[in-house]
Amino acid sequence: MNWARKDLLGLEELSKEEIELILTTAESFKEVSSREIKKVPALRGKTVVNLFYEPSTRTRVSFEVAAKRLSADVINIATETSSVKKGETLIDTGKNIEALKADIIVIRHNYSGAAAMLARHVNLNVVNAGDGWHEHPTQALLDIFTLKEKLGRIEGLNVSIVGDIAHSRVARSNIWGLTKLGAKVTVCAPKILIPLGIEKMGARVTVDIDEALEKADAVNVLRMQFERDQNDAFPNQLEYFKQFGITQERLAKVKKDIIVMHPGPINRGIEIASEVADGRHSVILEQVTNGIAVRMAVLFLVAQANEPSL
Ligand code: CP
């Protein structure tokens, strides 16, 4: 199949075939990063703008590396030091980036729907690098890519997502992507951190961590987003670790080759024990490496959507 979308806004709207196309394109790009000269000319002459309204280490750097490996020019806009601080709207910022003849905007924003709104107002390609609690599609794609690389398939896998589901765009994108590819997804958290209606997305819900881990081929551990706890309603950190933390003791009771993932940044000793984060089950840094190939694939595919058909 050919890619036809101008933008990548979320996995909810993608078909199974579109997700598979991104994954196979990423497989072909992965080898570029092991070359002596880590570059291909696929996006030569294109300009990618990273427009980040929220802090980021992995996603921003990964998109920059991915764009540079495709030979694109890259401009990073940190909104803290931009005219956003003077009150410029997102749409005006987007239109000005368009007037500066950029080709692709990669946007991270604290409001759900911000990437989609921008995409409606500019002709540039827009890639969602995380919008509010809504979606973080490239994170889920790199999680799925890593799982497939490790276990050879997605269909039929049991994947548990443990942690702050309520505030997690990573959880939402993972549920959409994994279920479309035939995995069985369980979410596990204290009741207050499980959003109403999450079962309608196709996920099973449990508040029992041992039950969530029992049959899991992989567990994706999410950060507790304490900065979003406006009502002071979260369990305290020690209590959370005791009841839901991913520890060696818990992993000793489950499938011996269970894969442990985490999108980062990690809160060691809160949602995951240090020895698990650094231990033999962990693929956390492999996820980061795979993010480059996945983001190369996404940038490459959305840019093709602008090319006239032959
Ligand atoms: N996983 C993730 O989105 O990390 P950053 O916030 O560092 O980009």
Side-chain angles (χ1 to χ4, degrees), residues 92-114:
D92 282 335
T93 301
K95 284 185 183 291
N96 277 272
I97 292 170
E98 187 162 45
L100 290 164
K101 303 297 175 196
D103 299 284
I104 302 175
I105 298 181
V106 176
I107 178 172
R108 168 167 290 189
H109 203 287
N110 43 324
Y111 286 120
S112 300

Side-chain angles (χ1 to χ4, degrees), residues 52 55-60 108 129 136 139 169-170 263-265:
F52 277 57
S56 169
T57 300
R58 279 145 293 272
T59 312
R60 199 203 56 71
R108 168 167 290 189
H136 191 348
Q139 178 66 48
R169 53 198 177 206
V170 175

Side-chain angles (χ1 to χ4, degrees), residues 63 127 195 229 288:
F63 268 112
V127 177
D229 184 19
V288 176

Side-chain angles (χ1 to χ4, degrees), residues 212-224:
L213 294 178
E214 192 184 358
K215 291 185 184 153
D217 298 294
V219 57
N220 201 344
V221 189
L222 302 179
R223 184 173 72 86
M224 291 294 290

